[in-house]
Amino acid sequence: MNYLMKKFYTLIFIILLFPLSCSNKPAAIEHGIFAPSRLDSIIGQDGVCSIDFGDNITLWTFADTITGRWKNDKGRIESNQNEAVIDGMISNSIAWSEKITENNYKDTPFSFYKKNGRVKQFIKNNEDEDPLRHRLWALDGFRYKDRVYVFYLHIYVPDYKEFLNFEVLYTGIARWDIPQGWKIGDDFNFKRLGILFEKGSPCFGAAVMLKDDFIYLAGHFKKGEREFPISIARANINDAEKRDSYSFLSSEGEWVADIKAAGEFIGDVSGECSLSYNDYLKEYIIIYSKAFTGDLAMARFKDFKKFPKSKSIVVHKTNRLIESNKLWPYSGKEIFSSNNIIFAIYIDPVKYQPILVELKFK
C-alpha cells in the first residue's frame, strides 16, 4: 500500500472514530446522600440548587423542607423518616457552604438560615397567605454584582392532606440586595418582585445559566399524561426582572419574542433540570430525571440552534422506582463540574433526600 493510500485510510478511520469519541458516555458513580451535614438541621428536602456566590462561598436553595429531630443517630445516618419526629414542612429554605469543589463534595459542611434555632423560609409568605396552602417553592438563581436573584413557584394547595393536589399560580422572582459588609451568618432579606411568568407558562427558573451577558432559563411543564417537556428563555442579565425583555427558543432554534412560539423539547423531564455550559466538553449540557423511570439523562449540544435536534441519553440508571406507589426519582440536575467530571444529584422520593452522582468523562 503506497503512502497516499495509507494516509487516506488513516484519515477515514479518524473521521469515523471522531463522532464516537465526541459522544462518549460518562462513567457514573453513586455516592449516597448529598451533604449529610444538612441532616443536622433538617429531616428531608428537595429542589436542590447551587448558586455561585463568590470565590469562597456557594449558596444552596431548597424547596419543600421537612423540619424536626432525629430519634437516634441511626435516623440521621440512614435518613429514614421513620426515625424522625417531624414538626413542620416549610416551602423553601436556604443554606451556605464553603465553595463546593472536587475536594469537598462528599460532605461539604452546610449552614442553614435560621431564626431562634429553627430553619426558616427565606422567601416569605405575605400576611394574607396561609403557608399550608400557599407554597413558595424556591427554584434556581444567580448572583450578579451586589444582588442575588432566586426564581420561585407560587403553588396553591386546595387540600394539603391530598397527595400531589396543587396548582402553579405563577413563576416569580425574588431579589436580595446584598448589604455592604454582609458576612456569613448575617440575615437574608429577599424581596418578592411579583409575577414574572403567568399561570400556564413553563416553570422558567427551574434551571438558570449565565453566559455572555445573558441569563438563560429552562422551564419544565406538564403537557399531557405522558408528556413533560421543557422550554428555554433568555434575557440580558441587566433585565432579569423585566418580563418583556425575555425571548424564547423556537422549535427551529431561533429566539422569538412571543412565548406562544416557544419550542417544546426533550419531553420526559421529571421535575427540575439543569442547564450549563461545560468548558471541558465545549458544549451545553442539560441533565434531568426521566419521567416514569427516574433514570438520569443528559442532552448535549454545541449551540442553541442545534438544540432542537439533539438527543438525550441515559447516563445513570437509578433503579429506585417504587412500583406500589408509582414513585420514581425526580429533579435530576448538575450541581457543579470540575474538568472532565460533572457532579449531579437526583431526589430519592422515599428517603426524600438528594442523592449524589459523579459523571466522569474519559
Side-chain angles (χ1 to χ4, degrees), residues 109-170:
F110 271 53
S111 298
F112 278 84
Y113 170 59
K114 298 179 179 180
K115 289 289 186 180
N116 300 320
R118 290 177 58 85
V119 176
K120 291 293 184 181
Q121 292 185 195
F122 72 101
I123 303 176
K124 300 177 176 64
N125 289 95
N126 297 326
E127 290 185 359
D128 61 344
E129 294 174 343
D130 178 356
L132 290 177
R133 289 184 166 80
H134 291 268
R135 313 289 291 175
L136 307 174
W137 286 350
L139 299 175
D140 205 355
F142 66 98
R143 176 177 180 173
Y144 180 59
K145 296 182 178 178
D146 60 353
R147 291 178 172 178
V148 174
Y149 290 96
V150 174
F151 296 85
Y152 67 92
L153 300 180
H154 187 156
I155 304 295
Y156 180 68
V157 183
D159 186 350
Y160 56 86
K161 295 179 181 179
E162 293 186 17
F163 182 59
L164 294 180
N165 178 23
F166 65 86
E167 61 176 318
V168 180
L169 298 183
Y170 63 85

Side-chain angles (χ1 to χ4, degrees), residues 26 34 50 57 62 91 105 119 127 141 166 195 202-203 238 249 252 259 279 293 299 322 362:
F34 172 60
S50 59
I57 300 171
F62 304 89
S91 62
Y105 68 89
V119 176
E127 290 185 359
F166 65 86
I195 298 173
C203 299
N238 293 293
L249 191 69
E252 289 76 36
I259 192 173
D279 289 321
T293 68
I322 311 301
K362 296 179 181 179

Side-chain angles (χ1 to χ4, degrees), residues 131-301:
L132 290 177
R133 289 184 166 80
H134 291 268
R135 313 289 291 175
L136 307 174
W137 286 350
L139 299 175
D140 205 355
F142 66 98
R143 176 177 180 173
Y144 180 59
K145 296 182 178 178
D146 60 353
R147 291 178 172 178
V148 174
Y149 290 96
V150 174
F151 296 85
Y152 67 92
L153 300 180
H154 187 156
I155 304 295
Y156 180 68
V157 183
D159 186 350
Y160 56 86
K161 295 179 181 179
E162 293 186 17
F163 182 59
L164 294 180
N165 178 23
F166 65 86
E167 61 176 318
V168 180
L169 298 183
Y170 63 85
T171 301
I173 185 171
R175 186 185 73 211
W176 172 40
D177 297 308
I178 307 170
Q180 187 173 4
W182 182 89
K183 62 184 183 301
I184 286 295
D186 289 349
D187 203 2
F188 292 94
N189 185 17
F190 278 84
K191 179 182 179 182
R192 291 165 59 183
L193 303 182
I195 298 173
L196 189 64
F197 295 101
E198 300 80 3
K199 181 177 181 178
S201 301
C203 299
F204 289 116
V208 176
M209 177 184 70
L210 304 183
K211 193 174 189 320
D212 301 331
D213 297 324
F214 278 88
I215 173 176
Y216 293 83
L217 310 178
H220 63 105
F221 60 101
K222 180 179 180 180
K223 185 179 179 182
E225 288 303 313
R226 301 190 68 84
E227 293 182 277
F228 302 88
I230 64 170
S231 294
I232 306 292
R234 77 171 184 178
N236 186 280
I237 195 170
N238 293 293
D239 298 324
E241 300 178 18
K242 303 174 183 176
R243 167 63 180 83
D244 292 342
S245 69
Y246 285 86
S247 57
F248 308 91
L249 191 69
S250 73
S251 57
E252 289 76 36
E254 304 290 342
W255 293 104
V256 295
D258 187 356
I259 192 173
K260 294 179 181 179
E264 301 171 1
F265 309 105
I266 299 180
D268 60 349
V269 179
S270 178
E272 306 98 38
C273 60
S274 62
L275 169 63
S276 65
Y277 182 80
N278 189 285
D279 289 321
Y280 177 84
L281 298 173
K282 305 300 181 187
E283 290 181 320
Y284 294 94
I285 302 288
I286 290 177
I287 293 177
Y288 68 97
S289 293
K290 292 178 71 69
F292 310 113
T293 68
D295 293 336
L296 271 185
M298 174 187 294
R300 299 166 54 179
F301 50 98

Side-chain angles (χ1 to χ4, degrees), residues 33 35-44 70 75-77 79 353:
I33 294 170
S37 67
R38 294 176 304 103
L39 304 182
D40 292 337
S41 300
I42 57 93
I43 302 300
W70 298 105
R76 183 197 179 284
I77 294 169
S79 187
Q353 298 289 349

